[in-house]
Amino acid sequence: MEIKGWVVLGSIIVVAMMMALGAYAPARALGQSIQSALEAIARQPEASSQITRTFIIGIAIIESIVIYLFVIALILLFANPLLDYLK
């Protein structure tokens, strides 16, 4: 197999690992943040609006990590910049 084929194969393997870890870690973080927010609301119901606002901002930040990862994965799969160095 040519070196270009190995680079493509390596890119596919790296993207698969990135997507697996990139889906697991934010999902776990979302679960923990939901748990913490519900516990905080249960302890202080009068502060539920502030807790909810902060919770939604936190969820947006966690989800942005997944979106960035997805964009990087698409770049590696379809517009791999490493292949330009092999010509």
Side-chain angles (χ1 to χ4, degrees):
M1 186 184 304
E2 291 182 23
I3 189 72
K4 188 174 182 178
W6 286 108
V7 170
V8 170
L9 180 65
S11 297
I12 292 170
I13 291 171
V14 167
V15 166
M17 291 186 330
M18 273 178 30
M19 293 305 293
L21 290 175
Y24 173 74
R28 186 171 171 105
L30 284 172
Q32 288 177 347
S33 64
I34 291 170
Q35 178 184 3
S36 298
L38 290 176
E39 287 175 358
I41 290 173
R43 274 186 263 125
Q44 293 182 336
E46 66 275 358
S48 65
S49 64
Q50 286 181 321
I51 295 169
T52 303
R53 186 176 336 123
T54 306
F55 171 68
I56 290 174
I57 291 170
I59 285 178
I61 291 171
I62 293 170
E63 288 297 324
S64 69
I65 295 169
V66 178
I67 293 169
Y68 293 144
L69 179 77
F70 182 65
V71 169
I72 291 170
L74 288 177
I75 289 171
L76 282 177
L77 284 178
F78 298 111
N80 196 337
L82 298 174
L83 296 178
D84 293 337
Y85 294 109
L86 299 176
K87 291 181 180 179

